[in-house]
């Protein structure tokens, strides 16, 4: 139960790398007072936070040495999820309006690919790739449920429709040949 000194907003809970089995957590309040919709962990010291405020999308970049730094220049109003490559070299966030890429710690965001519709899950893979699971509409394929994959740090995207899939929500990609995708309303 929250007390008067407890924020009702979500905050980051950080697990130090040397602590096993979540025995100890450290609260990072630099993202306090924001609603967090996605968290992309790049490495032990970096993450991207899909935050939003009353004025719209407010993505943040986390660095262990200085906490969250918000970028107020996001072109989209609703972040669904985020993923980041090591050192936050490239970060992708997903929205109903498609996917956006930043390669400069959020100083700029560029719309990449032509997919639109609910993209709910973004995952970073292999240090240079991103996979998005969701319901998509593209110029080439029209409407489909499936995965969109970039193997060049978010620059170009390839679509992988799943026959008969409806309401695709989340994806996990343990190898190049095995992908797990959820669907349902």
């Amino acid at each position: 139960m929250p007390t008067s000194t407890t924020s009702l907003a979500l905050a980051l809970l950080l697990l130090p790398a040397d602590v096993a089995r979540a025995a100890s957590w450290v609260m990072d309040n630099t993202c306090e007072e924001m609603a967090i919709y996605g968290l992309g962990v790049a490495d032990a010291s970096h993450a991207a936070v899909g935050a939003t405020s009353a004025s719209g999308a407010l993505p943040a970049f986390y660095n262990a040495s200085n906490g969250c730094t918000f970028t107020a220049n996001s072109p989209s109003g609703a972040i669904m999820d985020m993923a980041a490559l090591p050192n936050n070299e490239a970060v992708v966030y997903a929205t109903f309006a498609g996917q956006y890429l930043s390669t400069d710690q959020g100083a700029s965001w560029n719309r990449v690919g032509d997919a639109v519709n609910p993209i709910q899950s973004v995952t970073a893979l292999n240090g240079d790739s991103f996979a998005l699971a969701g319901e998509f509409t593209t110029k080439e394929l029209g409407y489909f449920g499936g995965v969109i994959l970039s193997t060049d740090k978010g620059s170009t995207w390839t679509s992988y429709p799943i026959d008969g899939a409806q309401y695709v929500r989340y994806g996990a990609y343990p190898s190049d040949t095995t992908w797990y995708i959820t669907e349902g309303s």
Side-chain angles (χ1 to χ4, degrees):
M1 183 85 165
T3 66
S4 61
T5 60
T6 304
S7 171
L8 295 177
L10 299 175
L12 292 177
L13 291 172
L14 306 173
L15 177 64
D18 60 342
V19 178
R21 296 191 179 145
S24 173
W25 293 86
V26 176
M27 178 71 77
D28 179 292
N29 291 321
T30 60
C31 288
E32 200 167 57
E33 302 306 327
M34 301 293 148
I36 298 174
Y37 289 99
L39 177 65
V41 178
D43 54 49
S45 300
H46 298 88
V49 181
T52 189
S53 69
S55 61
L58 197 62
F61 286 82
Y62 177 81
N63 183 313
S65 62
N66 62 358
C68 284
T69 302
F70 293 96
T71 63
N73 61 349
S74 170
S76 177
I79 296 173
M80 300 298 287
D81 197 13
M82 292 188 87
L85 298 182
N87 296 313
N88 287 338
E89 174 187 4
V91 173
V92 169
Y93 76 76
T95 71
F96 284 85
Q99 64 268 26
Y100 290 83
L101 171 71
S102 179
T103 57
D104 56 11
Q105 302 288 309
S108 64
W109 292 95
N110 297 303
R111 173 84 165 77
V112 290
D114 71 340
V116 294
N117 282 346
I119 304 169
Q120 200 159 338
S121 174
V122 184
T123 305
L125 313 167
N126 307 322
D128 65 356
S129 302
F130 293 101
L132 288 76
E135 297 291 306
F136 304 101
T137 301
T138 65
K139 292 175 188 171
E140 176 187 359
L141 299 173
Y143 181 79
F144 66 94
V147 174
I148 296 178
L149 180 70
S150 172
T151 58
D152 58 4
K153 300 182 181 180
S155 295
T156 60
W157 297 83
T158 303
S159 299
Y160 295 91
I162 301 171
D163 288 337
Q166 294 181 2
Y167 307 108
V168 172
R169 299 290 187 227
Y170 303 102
Y173 314 87
S175 75
D176 290 342
T177 58
T178 302
W179 296 356
Y180 294 95
I181 307 300
T182 67
E183 66 173 358
S185 57

